[in-house]
Amino acid sequence: MLKNLIGGLAGRLKKNEESQADEIAAVEKELEASPVKRVAEPETVDQLPPTLGFVTHQPVMDRQHRVVAYEFFVKSGAAAKGSKHQDFDRLMLTTLQNMEVFRLLAYRRALVHISISSLSEPLLLQMPAKSVIFVLEPDPNEPVTAEVMQALDALRIKGLRFAIEPAAFDAHVLVERLQPELFNRMDFMLLDFSAPSTRVLAPILDQLPRRYPNARWMARNVGTAEDLDVCLRAPGSNRFALFHGPFIATVRSLESGKVDSNQTRVLQIMRMLRANAEPRELEAQFKLDSVLLFKLLRFINSPVNGLARKVQTIEETLLLLGRETLFKWLSMLLFTAKKEDGTALALLEKSLIRARFLERLGAYRGNKLEAEHLFLTGMFSLLDVLLNQPFPDVLDPLELPPTVRDAVVENKGMFSPYLALALACEQGDDQRINALCKVLNFEVEHASRYYIDSVVWAQEVLRESEVHNDVEAV
């Protein structure tokens, strides 16, 4: 199970240069089997706004496994070293603004962690109240008082919403008599599944209905499908509305192990495309299921792709975009072939983010074909989970470029560090992010910008393709 990624931010900022150097050495040793040349620095680099390290975000899902929000936190940044909680929170909020995180909030909600001592921070009022939920963290140097309650009430009157993790507030920070007052002001309560279940989870789950009858709960750091079942079947389970954690990559999307018939057809078309089948042969396959062709053209004609005119047939698509691009968009159909599958859509979103991020990294070096193959690397990196079939069985029939297959199946080759960087960004692993950026000769802030851009791009593709989730209930 993942460690608690979203605990007190300020207490985790102190850099450990020696361990970071060890991490860099470990990454380089990991890549020795398939040497990766350090790429030359481009002549020009985008001017980036000042940021507070890498801004990590984690997807948050509803009960149907649909991504409806992201949880934001920052784990590094020399500027915050030794600063007060309020100063750090100010830098964090400024970082989110500089990275234009508001673009993402048009499609998702955001949970942003701040110290309870920062309720007087003016930047809170500049965040969109409808889209942001502030997760209050304890400040050991500033206990919760009646004045804190008044400040909280003033912000709630202005429309701001708040969440809290009850287990994080001990008697030193929050006296028992003020607990009901504080907790009853929260829109969400957080329960961390990285804690030992026998010590923490069971008592809280048993007491949920009695102690917090009106609260909605978010379960975070849910590591497995079994942990998810605890949320969905425990006393008061109907109050769990949001879920965070790596369970989505381990959940059994197809219990029988059999691939859906529509997914089988898409895989067949992809095999034919790799075998240079004639356009009329590909068209014949789509005529067997016109819905698949409709979905494919909707993806391709999405405004974010910037086509001068819409394509209407497979032949047009091949003429205008080529086989590699068509193959790229066909991969999206594997995730949407099944109807009403929240897990598949969550995997699609994660795969799109990875794919776009890797593509941007490749395009930054100016190699178009490499960028397209990096996109495929990201898209296929979760295909084994989607189809519930192991690598390499699920990929070998597609005859992917060796660089793609090596990275996805063998975790080696020239694309391996790119995929590893995407995974480190997902997990908020600061040391690995810094180490891999050093290997690939990227600035951390530049990678952070590309990553948030990729998240927004994925939301735009899904929304404009009418494959999106309802976030109004959050």
mmCIF file of all heavy atoms in Angstrom, residues 15 20 45-55 74 76-79 95 98-99 103 357 360-361 364 421 425 430 433-434 436-438 441-453:
data_model
loop_
_atom_site.group_PDB
_atom_site.id
_atom_site.type_symbol
_atom_site.label_atom_id
_atom_site.label_comp_id
_atom_site.label_asym_id
_atom_site.label_seq_id
_atom_site.Cartn_x
_atom_site.Cartn_y
_atom_site.Cartn_z
ATOM 1 N N LYS A 15 15.150 18.700 2.353
ATOM 2 C CA LYS A 15 15.801 17.868 1.331
ATOM 3 C C LYS A 15 16.909 17.023 1.939
ATOM 4 O O LYS A 15 17.592 17.431 2.855
ATOM 5 C CB LYS A 15 16.396 18.754 0.234
ATOM 6 C CG LYS A 15 15.350 19.410 -0.638
ATOM 7 C CD LYS A 15 16.019 20.137 -1.768
ATOM 8 C CE LYS A 15 15.008 20.725 -2.713
ATOM 9 N NZ LYS A 15 15.630 21.458 -3.808
ATOM 10 N N GLN A 20 19.136 11.770 -2.319
ATOM 11 C CA GLN A 20 18.802 12.115 -3.700
ATOM 12 C C GLN A 20 19.925 11.661 -4.636
ATOM 13 O O GLN A 20 19.671 11.148 -5.725
ATOM 14 C CB GLN A 20 18.580 13.622 -3.829
ATOM 15 C CG GLN A 20 18.145 14.024 -5.241
ATOM 16 C CD GLN A 20 17.660 15.462 -5.287
ATOM 17 O OE1 GLN A 20 17.094 15.962 -4.331
ATOM 18 N NE2 GLN A 20 17.893 16.114 -6.375
ATOM 19 N N VAL A 45 14.526 27.435 -24.202
ATOM 20 C CA VAL A 45 13.706 26.813 -23.177
ATOM 21 C C VAL A 45 12.574 27.767 -22.825
ATOM 22 O O VAL A 45 12.783 28.979 -22.726
ATOM 23 C CB VAL A 45 14.536 26.499 -21.910
ATOM 24 C CG1 VAL A 45 13.666 25.879 -20.841
ATOM 25 C CG2 VAL A 45 15.686 25.573 -22.249
ATOM 26 N N ASP A 46 11.375 27.258 -22.676
ATOM 27 C CA ASP A 46 10.241 28.087 -22.299
ATOM 28 C C ASP A 46 10.530 28.815 -20.999
ATOM 29 O O ASP A 46 11.143 28.274 -20.087
ATOM 30 C CB ASP A 46 8.976 27.230 -22.114
ATOM 31 C CG ASP A 46 8.527 26.643 -23.431
ATOM 32 O OD1 ASP A 46 9.050 27.081 -24.467
ATOM 33 O OD2 ASP A 46 7.653 25.765 -23.416
ATOM 34 N N GLN A 47 10.083 30.067 -20.929
ATOM 35 C CA GLN A 47 10.188 30.816 -19.695
ATOM 36 C C GLN A 47 9.066 30.384 -18.764
ATOM 37 O O GLN A 47 7.888 30.574 -19.064
ATOM 38 C CB GLN A 47 10.101 32.321 -19.985
ATOM 39 C CG GLN A 47 11.279 32.863 -20.776
ATOM 40 C CD GLN A 47 12.591 32.702 -20.033
ATOM 41 O OE1 GLN A 47 12.680 32.994 -18.842
ATOM 42 N NE2 GLN A 47 13.616 32.230 -20.729
ATOM 43 N N LEU A 48 9.452 29.814 -17.623
ATOM 44 C CA LEU A 48 8.457 29.303 -16.684
ATOM 45 C C LEU A 48 8.309 30.247 -15.513
ATOM 46 O O LEU A 48 9.274 30.873 -15.085
ATOM 47 C CB LEU A 48 8.873 27.921 -16.165
ATOM 48 C CG LEU A 48 9.033 26.824 -17.199
ATOM 49 C CD1 LEU A 48 9.585 25.577 -16.540
ATOM 50 C CD2 LEU A 48 7.703 26.536 -17.862
ATOM 51 N N PRO A 49 7.092 30.354 -14.983
ATOM 52 C CA PRO A 49 6.913 31.173 -13.783
ATOM 53 C C PRO A 49 7.570 30.495 -12.593
ATOM 54 O O PRO A 49 7.783 29.283 -12.605
ATOM 55 C CB PRO A 49 5.386 31.217 -13.622
ATOM 56 C CG PRO A 49 4.903 29.963 -14.276
ATOM 57 C CD PRO A 49 5.852 29.720 -15.424
ATOM 58 N N PRO A 50 7.925 31.254 -11.557
ATOM 59 C CA PRO A 50 8.508 30.628 -10.368
ATOM 60 C C PRO A 50 7.505 29.690 -9.721
ATOM 61 O O PRO A 50 6.333 30.006 -9.583
ATOM 62 C CB PRO A 50 8.815 31.815 -9.450
ATOM 63 C CG PRO A 50 7.926 32.916 -9.930
ATOM 64 C CD PRO A 50 7.768 32.709 -11.409
ATOM 65 N N THR A 51 7.971 28.503 -9.334
ATOM 66 C CA THR A 51 7.077 27.521 -8.732
ATOM 67 C C THR A 51 7.697 26.966 -7.466
ATOM 68 O O THR A 51 8.878 27.169 -7.199
ATOM 69 C CB THR A 51 6.794 26.352 -9.694
ATOM 70 O OG1 THR A 51 8.021 25.680 -9.960
ATOM 71 C CG2 THR A 51 6.176 26.840 -10.978
ATOM 72 N N LEU A 52 6.916 26.256 -6.719
ATOM 73 C CA LEU A 52 7.359 25.672 -5.459
ATOM 74 C C LEU A 52 7.553 24.172 -5.658
ATOM 75 O O LEU A 52 6.787 23.351 -5.178
ATOM 76 C CB LEU A 52 6.323 25.945 -4.381
ATOM 77 C CG LEU A 52 6.680 25.544 -2.945
ATOM 78 C CD1 LEU A 52 7.902 26.286 -2.457
ATOM 79 C CD2 LEU A 52 5.513 25.803 -2.022
ATOM 80 N N GLY A 53 8.567 23.798 -6.439
ATOM 81 C CA GLY A 53 8.814 22.385 -6.664
ATOM 82 C C GLY A 53 7.778 21.761 -7.575
ATOM 83 O O GLY A 53 7.063 22.439 -8.305
ATOM 84 N N PHE A 54 7.688 20.454 -7.510
ATOM 85 C CA PHE A 54 6.754 19.715 -8.363
ATOM 86 C C PHE A 54 5.388 19.633 -7.679
ATOM 87 O O PHE A 54 5.266 19.176 -6.545
ATOM 88 C CB PHE A 54 7.276 18.301 -8.633
ATOM 89 C CG PHE A 54 6.450 17.565 -9.642
ATOM 90 C CD1 PHE A 54 6.702 17.716 -10.992
ATOM 91 C CD2 PHE A 54 5.409 16.749 -9.247
ATOM 92 C CE1 PHE A 54 5.940 17.051 -11.931
ATOM 93 C CE2 PHE A 54 4.639 16.078 -10.174
ATOM 94 C CZ PHE A 54 4.900 16.230 -11.522
ATOM 95 N N VAL A 55 4.365 20.089 -8.373
ATOM 96 C CA VAL A 55 3.013 20.050 -7.829
ATOM 97 C C VAL A 55 2.400 18.692 -8.138
ATOM 98 O O VAL A 55 2.096 18.379 -9.281
ATOM 99 C CB VAL A 55 2.136 21.169 -8.424
ATOM 100 C CG1 VAL A 55 0.737 21.112 -7.839
ATOM 101 C CG2 VAL A 55 2.762 22.527 -8.150
ATOM 102 N N VAL A 74 2.103 19.838 -2.590
ATOM 103 C CA VAL A 74 3.469 20.089 -3.042
ATOM 104 C C VAL A 74 4.410 19.477 -2.031
ATOM 105 O O VAL A 74 4.272 19.707 -0.837
ATOM 106 C CB VAL A 74 3.754 21.591 -3.189
ATOM 107 C CG1 VAL A 74 5.146 21.831 -3.734
ATOM 108 C CG2 VAL A 74 2.709 22.242 -4.083
ATOM 109 N N SER A 76 8.017 19.444 -2.437
ATOM 110 C CA SER A 76 9.394 19.919 -2.458
ATOM 111 C C SER A 76 9.436 21.404 -2.730
ATOM 112 O O SER A 76 8.446 22.013 -3.085
ATOM 113 C CB SER A 76 10.205 19.182 -3.528
ATOM 114 O OG SER A 76 9.729 19.515 -4.813
ATOM 115 N N GLY A 77 10.605 21.986 -2.576
ATOM 116 C CA GLY A 77 10.770 23.405 -2.858
ATOM 117 C C GLY A 77 11.691 24.047 -1.855
ATOM 118 O O GLY A 77 11.356 24.193 -0.683
ATOM 119 N N ALA A 78 12.855 24.475 -2.293
ATOM 120 C CA ALA A 78 13.824 25.049 -1.371
ATOM 121 C C ALA A 78 13.313 26.352 -0.771
ATOM 122 O O ALA A 78 13.685 26.718 0.342
ATOM 123 C CB ALA A 78 15.142 25.297 -2.109
ATOM 124 N N ALA A 79 12.437 27.052 -1.496
ATOM 125 C CA ALA A 79 11.961 28.338 -1.003
ATOM 126 C C ALA A 79 11.170 28.200 0.277
ATOM 127 O O ALA A 79 11.044 29.135 1.053
ATOM 128 C CB ALA A 79 11.110 29.020 -2.081
ATOM 129 N N THR A 95 1.788 29.015 -6.569
ATOM 130 C CA THR A 95 2.263 28.049 -7.554
ATOM 131 C C THR A 95 1.110 27.514 -8.395
ATOM 132 O O THR A 95 1.197 27.432 -9.627
ATOM 133 C CB THR A 95 2.965 26.872 -6.844
ATOM 134 O OG1 THR A 95 4.116 27.356 -6.161
ATOM 135 C CG2 THR A 95 3.391 25.814 -7.846
ATOM 136 N N ASN A 98 0.116 30.166 -10.800
ATOM 137 C CA ASN A 98 1.102 30.335 -11.869
ATOM 138 C C ASN A 98 1.023 29.217 -12.897
ATOM 139 O O ASN A 98 1.291 29.422 -14.086
ATOM 140 C CB ASN A 98 2.516 30.384 -11.281
ATOM 141 C CG ASN A 98 2.794 31.672 -10.533
ATOM 142 O OD1 ASN A 98 2.077 32.648 -10.711
ATOM 143 N ND2 ASN A 98 3.811 31.680 -9.705
ATOM 144 N N MET A 99 0.653 28.023 -12.449
ATOM 145 C CA MET A 99 0.551 26.889 -13.359
ATOM 146 C C MET A 99 -0.815 26.816 -14.023
ATOM 147 O O MET A 99 -1.131 25.868 -14.724
ATOM 148 C CB MET A 99 0.841 25.593 -12.601
ATOM 149 C CG MET A 99 2.246 25.533 -12.051
ATOM 150 S SD MET A 99 2.635 23.920 -11.354
ATOM 151 C CE MET A 99 2.683 22.940 -12.853
ATOM 152 N N ARG A 103 -7.555 26.000 -15.280
ATOM 153 C CA ARG A 103 -7.991 25.341 -16.518
ATOM 154 C C ARG A 103 -8.532 23.952 -16.226
ATOM 155 O O ARG A 103 -9.504 23.513 -16.819
ATOM 156 C CB ARG A 103 -6.820 25.232 -17.495
ATOM 157 C CG ARG A 103 -6.309 26.559 -18.036
ATOM 158 C CD ARG A 103 -5.101 26.331 -18.915
ATOM 159 N NE ARG A 103 -4.003 25.736 -18.172
ATOM 160 C CZ ARG A 103 -3.063 24.970 -18.715
ATOM 161 N NH1 ARG A 103 -3.103 24.669 -19.999
ATOM 162 N NH2 ARG A 103 -2.091 24.478 -17.975
ATOM 163 N N PHE A 357 1.810 13.321 -21.862
ATOM 164 C CA PHE A 357 3.019 13.761 -21.175
ATOM 165 C C PHE A 357 4.264 13.238 -21.892
ATOM 166 O O PHE A 357 5.205 13.995 -22.178
ATOM 167 C CB PHE A 357 2.982 13.276 -19.729
ATOM 168 C CG PHE A 357 4.189 13.639 -18.912
ATOM 169 C CD1 PHE A 357 4.548 14.967 -18.730
ATOM 170 C CD2 PHE A 357 4.962 12.650 -18.315
ATOM 171 C CE1 PHE A 357 5.666 15.314 -17.962
ATOM 172 C CE2 PHE A 357 6.070 12.980 -17.548
ATOM 173 C CZ PHE A 357 6.417 14.313 -17.374
ATOM 174 N N ARG A 360 4.705 14.999 -25.218
ATOM 175 C CA ARG A 360 5.258 16.350 -25.074
ATOM 176 C C ARG A 360 6.760 16.298 -24.806
ATOM 177 O O ARG A 360 7.521 17.115 -25.330
ATOM 178 C CB ARG A 360 4.556 17.091 -23.927
ATOM 179 C CG ARG A 360 3.109 17.473 -24.190
ATOM 180 C CD ARG A 360 2.972 18.537 -25.263
ATOM 181 N NE ARG A 360 3.730 19.736 -24.973
ATOM 182 C CZ ARG A 360 3.316 20.745 -24.212
ATOM 183 N NH1 ARG A 360 2.126 20.683 -23.620
ATOM 184 N NH2 ARG A 360 4.064 21.821 -24.038
ATOM 185 N N LEU A 361 7.177 15.352 -23.996
ATOM 186 C CA LEU A 361 8.611 15.217 -23.729
ATOM 187 C C LEU A 361 9.371 14.887 -25.012
ATOM 188 O O LEU A 361 10.456 15.414 -25.263
ATOM 189 C CB LEU A 361 8.851 14.127 -22.680
ATOM 190 C CG LEU A 361 8.341 14.391 -21.262
ATOM 191 C CD1 LEU A 361 8.630 13.184 -20.372
ATOM 192 C CD2 LEU A 361 8.943 15.649 -20.667
ATOM 193 N N TYR A 364 9.486 17.900 -27.396
ATOM 194 C CA TYR A 364 10.419 18.899 -26.888
ATOM 195 C C TYR A 364 11.799 18.712 -27.507
ATOM 196 O O TYR A 364 12.544 19.668 -27.687
ATOM 197 C CB TYR A 364 10.486 18.752 -25.364
ATOM 198 C CG TYR A 364 11.394 19.710 -24.652
ATOM 199 C CD1 TYR A 364 11.077 21.062 -24.541
ATOM 200 C CD2 TYR A 364 12.569 19.264 -24.056
ATOM 201 C CE1 TYR A 364 11.897 21.942 -23.866
ATOM 202 C CE2 TYR A 364 13.402 20.127 -23.378
ATOM 203 C CZ TYR A 364 13.065 21.470 -23.283
ATOM 204 O OH TYR A 364 13.881 22.336 -22.597
ATOM 205 N N LEU A 421 9.341 8.344 -15.491
ATOM 206 C CA LEU A 421 9.094 9.714 -15.039
ATOM 207 C C LEU A 421 7.600 9.978 -14.920
ATOM 208 O O LEU A 421 7.144 10.616 -13.953
ATOM 209 C CB LEU A 421 9.742 10.711 -16.000
ATOM 210 C CG LEU A 421 9.530 12.197 -15.678
ATOM 211 C CD1 LEU A 421 10.028 12.528 -14.275
ATOM 212 C CD2 LEU A 421 10.211 13.079 -16.719
ATOM 213 N N CYS A 425 5.681 10.976 -11.480
ATOM 214 C CA CYS A 425 4.815 12.154 -11.365
ATOM 215 C C CYS A 425 3.456 11.773 -10.780
ATOM 216 O O CYS A 425 2.899 12.493 -9.942
ATOM 217 C CB CYS A 425 4.628 12.804 -12.726
ATOM 218 S SG CYS A 425 6.125 13.603 -13.379
ATOM 219 N N ASP A 430 9.190 12.600 -5.196
ATOM 220 C CA ASP A 430 10.100 13.704 -5.461
ATOM 221 C C ASP A 430 11.501 13.264 -5.864
ATOM 222 O O ASP A 430 12.061 13.761 -6.847
ATOM 223 C CB ASP A 430 10.217 14.579 -4.204
ATOM 224 C CG ASP A 430 9.077 15.560 -4.087
ATOM 225 O OD1 ASP A 430 8.228 15.576 -4.982
ATOM 226 O OD2 ASP A 430 9.033 16.304 -3.087
ATOM 227 N N ILE A 433 11.531 11.744 -9.315
ATOM 228 C CA ILE A 433 11.281 12.786 -10.323
ATOM 229 C C ILE A 433 12.562 13.560 -10.605
ATOM 230 O O ILE A 433 12.960 13.755 -11.761
ATOM 231 C CB ILE A 433 10.164 13.738 -9.864
ATOM 232 C CG1 ILE A 433 8.808 13.030 -9.892
ATOM 233 C CG2 ILE A 433 10.114 14.992 -10.751
ATOM 234 C CD1 ILE A 433 7.693 13.811 -9.225
ATOM 235 N N ASN A 434 13.232 13.994 -9.538
ATOM 236 C CA ASN A 434 14.469 14.761 -9.710
ATOM 237 C C ASN A 434 15.554 13.918 -10.379
ATOM 238 O O ASN A 434 16.294 14.402 -11.240
ATOM 239 C CB ASN A 434 14.953 15.272 -8.352
ATOM 240 C CG ASN A 434 14.193 16.502 -7.894
ATOM 241 O OD1 ASN A 434 14.469 17.621 -8.338
ATOM 242 N ND2 ASN A 434 13.234 16.303 -7.008
ATOM 243 N N LEU A 436 15.199 11.262 -12.405
ATOM 244 C CA LEU A 436 14.891 10.984 -13.810
ATOM 245 C C LEU A 436 14.996 12.241 -14.669
ATOM 246 O O LEU A 436 15.416 12.173 -15.827
ATOM 247 C CB LEU A 436 13.494 10.360 -13.915
ATOM 248 C CG LEU A 436 13.419 8.908 -13.421
ATOM 249 C CD1 LEU A 436 11.980 8.503 -13.134
ATOM 250 C CD2 LEU A 436 14.040 7.967 -14.433
ATOM 251 N N CYS A 437 14.603 13.382 -14.123
ATOM 252 C CA CYS A 437 14.766 14.630 -14.869
ATOM 253 C C CYS A 437 16.244 14.904 -15.129
ATOM 254 O O CYS A 437 16.612 15.410 -16.196
ATOM 255 C CB CYS A 437 14.133 15.795 -14.098
ATOM 256 S SG CYS A 437 12.332 15.874 -14.228
ATOM 257 N N LYS A 438 17.090 14.537 -14.176
ATOM 258 C CA LYS A 438 18.526 14.716 -14.371
ATOM 259 C C LYS A 438 19.033 13.787 -15.475
ATOM 260 O O LYS A 438 19.817 14.188 -16.330
ATOM 261 C CB LYS A 438 19.262 14.437 -13.059
ATOM 262 C CG LYS A 438 20.763 14.703 -13.106
ATOM 263 C CD LYS A 438 21.392 14.474 -11.746
ATOM 264 C CE LYS A 438 22.898 14.714 -11.788
ATOM 265 N NZ LYS A 438 23.225 16.140 -12.004
ATOM 266 N N ASN A 441 17.764 15.122 -18.694
ATOM 267 C CA ASN A 441 18.158 16.513 -18.920
ATOM 268 C C ASN A 441 16.945 17.435 -19.082
ATOM 269 O O ASN A 441 16.855 18.229 -20.015
ATOM 270 C CB ASN A 441 19.079 16.632 -20.144
ATOM 271 C CG ASN A 441 19.873 17.930 -20.127
ATOM 272 O OD1 ASN A 441 19.908 18.638 -19.124
ATOM 273 N ND2 ASN A 441 20.504 18.239 -21.242
ATOM 274 N N PHE A 442 15.998 17.293 -18.158
ATOM 275 C CA PHE A 442 14.838 18.166 -18.101
ATOM 276 C C PHE A 442 14.847 18.932 -16.784
ATOM 277 O O PHE A 442 15.225 18.391 -15.741
ATOM 278 C CB PHE A 442 13.525 17.366 -18.162
ATOM 279 C CG PHE A 442 13.097 17.000 -19.544
ATOM 280 C CD1 PHE A 442 13.252 15.715 -20.010
ATOM 281 C CD2 PHE A 442 12.523 17.946 -20.387
ATOM 282 C CE1 PHE A 442 12.859 15.358 -21.288
ATOM 283 C CE2 PHE A 442 12.124 17.603 -21.659
ATOM 284 C CZ PHE A 442 12.285 16.315 -22.114
ATOM 285 N N GLU A 443 14.405 20.170 -16.822
ATOM 286 C CA GLU A 443 14.171 20.908 -15.584
ATOM 287 C C GLU A 443 12.911 20.357 -14.921
ATOM 288 O O GLU A 443 11.919 20.068 -15.594
ATOM 289 C CB GLU A 443 14.001 22.399 -15.863
ATOM 290 C CG GLU A 443 15.243 23.096 -16.391
ATOM 291 C CD GLU A 443 16.349 23.157 -15.348
ATOM 292 O OE1 GLU A 443 16.011 23.182 -14.143
ATOM 293 O OE2 GLU A 443 17.529 23.182 -15.744
ATOM 294 N N VAL A 444 12.949 20.212 -13.589
ATOM 295 C CA VAL A 444 11.797 19.686 -12.868
ATOM 296 C C VAL A 444 10.575 20.566 -13.093
ATOM 297 O O VAL A 444 9.462 20.073 -13.322
ATOM 298 C CB VAL A 444 12.110 19.566 -11.353
ATOM 299 C CG1 VAL A 444 10.850 19.207 -10.577
ATOM 300 C CG2 VAL A 444 13.184 18.527 -11.116
ATOM 301 N N GLU A 445 10.756 21.880 -13.038
ATOM 302 C CA GLU A 445 9.618 22.787 -13.232
ATOM 303 C C GLU A 445 9.038 22.649 -14.632
ATOM 304 O O GLU A 445 7.835 22.790 -14.834
ATOM 305 C CB GLU A 445 10.044 24.241 -12.973
ATOM 306 C CG GLU A 445 10.306 24.565 -11.523
ATOM 307 C CD GLU A 445 11.660 24.070 -11.044
ATOM 308 O OE1 GLU A 445 12.457 23.611 -11.909
ATOM 309 O OE2 GLU A 445 11.922 24.113 -9.836
ATOM 310 N N HIS A 446 9.918 22.352 -15.606
ATOM 311 C CA HIS A 446 9.445 22.187 -16.981
ATOM 312 C C HIS A 446 8.601 20.915 -17.087
ATOM 313 O O HIS A 446 7.539 20.912 -17.718
ATOM 314 C CB HIS A 446 10.641 22.109 -17.930
ATOM 315 C CG HIS A 446 10.327 22.525 -19.336
ATOM 316 N ND1 HIS A 446 10.067 23.821 -19.675
ATOM 317 C CD2 HIS A 446 10.217 21.802 -20.477
ATOM 318 C CE1 HIS A 446 9.820 23.895 -20.969
ATOM 319 N NE2 HIS A 446 9.894 22.681 -21.480
ATOM 320 N N ALA A 447 9.060 19.841 -16.473
ATOM 321 C CA ALA A 447 8.284 18.603 -16.455
ATOM 322 C C ALA A 447 6.955 18.817 -15.741
ATOM 323 O O ALA A 447 5.916 18.286 -16.159
ATOM 324 C CB ALA A 447 9.076 17.489 -15.778
ATOM 325 N N SER A 448 6.973 19.597 -14.659
ATOM 326 C CA SER A 448 5.743 19.879 -13.923
ATOM 327 C C SER A 448 4.736 20.608 -14.805
ATOM 328 O O SER A 448 3.541 20.293 -14.816
ATOM 329 C CB SER A 448 6.059 20.717 -12.679
ATOM 330 O OG SER A 448 4.885 20.988 -11.935
ATOM 331 N N ARG A 449 5.216 21.565 -15.572
ATOM 332 C CA ARG A 449 4.336 22.299 -16.494
ATOM 333 C C ARG A 449 3.747 21.365 -17.532
ATOM 334 O O ARG A 449 2.554 21.392 -17.808
ATOM 335 C CB ARG A 449 5.133 23.415 -17.152
ATOM 336 C CG ARG A 449 4.510 24.010 -18.400
ATOM 337 C CD ARG A 449 3.303 24.879 -18.074
ATOM 338 N NE ARG A 449 3.680 26.066 -17.332
ATOM 339 C CZ ARG A 449 2.861 27.075 -17.089
ATOM 340 N NH1 ARG A 449 1.617 27.013 -17.523
ATOM 341 N NH2 ARG A 449 3.246 28.111 -16.395
ATOM 342 N N TYR A 450 4.584 20.523 -18.134
ATOM 343 C CA TYR A 450 4.088 19.585 -19.138
ATOM 344 C C TYR A 450 3.058 18.632 -18.540
ATOM 345 O O TYR A 450 2.085 18.261 -19.195
ATOM 346 C CB TYR A 450 5.252 18.783 -19.728
ATOM 347 C CG TYR A 450 5.977 19.466 -20.864
ATOM 348 C CD1 TYR A 450 7.062 18.858 -21.489
ATOM 349 C CD2 TYR A 450 5.588 20.717 -21.325
ATOM 350 C CE1 TYR A 450 7.734 19.458 -22.533
ATOM 351 C CE2 TYR A 450 6.248 21.329 -22.361
ATOM 352 C CZ TYR A 450 7.327 20.706 -22.962
ATOM 353 O OH TYR A 450 7.986 21.316 -23.994
ATOM 354 N N TYR A 451 3.289 18.238 -17.311
ATOM 355 C CA TYR A 451 2.381 17.265 -16.706
ATOM 356 C C TYR A 451 1.000 17.867 -16.469
ATOM 357 O O TYR A 451 -0.014 17.244 -16.792
ATOM 358 C CB TYR A 451 2.967 16.720 -15.401
ATOM 359 C CG TYR A 451 2.315 15.440 -14.971
ATOM 360 C CD1 TYR A 451 2.567 14.252 -15.645
ATOM 361 C CD2 TYR A 451 1.410 15.404 -13.919
ATOM 362 C CE1 TYR A 451 1.967 13.068 -15.278
ATOM 363 C CE2 TYR A 451 0.799 14.220 -13.542
ATOM 364 C CZ TYR A 451 1.086 13.063 -14.220
ATOM 365 O OH TYR A 451 0.466 11.889 -13.848
ATOM 366 N N ILE A 452 0.944 19.062 -15.911
ATOM 367 C CA ILE A 452 -0.363 19.675 -15.669
ATOM 368 C C ILE A 452 -1.031 20.000 -16.999
ATOM 369 O O ILE A 452 -2.250 19.879 -17.148
ATOM 370 C CB ILE A 452 -0.243 20.930 -14.779
ATOM 371 C CG1 ILE A 452 -1.619 21.290 -14.198
ATOM 372 C CG2 ILE A 452 0.318 22.109 -15.520
ATOM 373 C CD1 ILE A 452 -2.142 20.307 -13.195
ATOM 374 N N ASP A 453 -0.242 20.390 -18.015
ATOM 375 C CA ASP A 453 -0.805 20.602 -19.357
ATOM 376 C C ASP A 453 -1.422 19.313 -19.885
ATOM 377 O O ASP A 453 -2.483 19.342 -20.531
ATOM 378 C CB ASP A 453 0.283 21.077 -20.335
ATOM 379 C CG ASP A 453 0.674 22.529 -20.115
ATOM 380 O OD1 ASP A 453 -0.042 23.238 -19.381
ATOM 381 O OD2 ASP A 453 1.720 22.946 -20.657
#
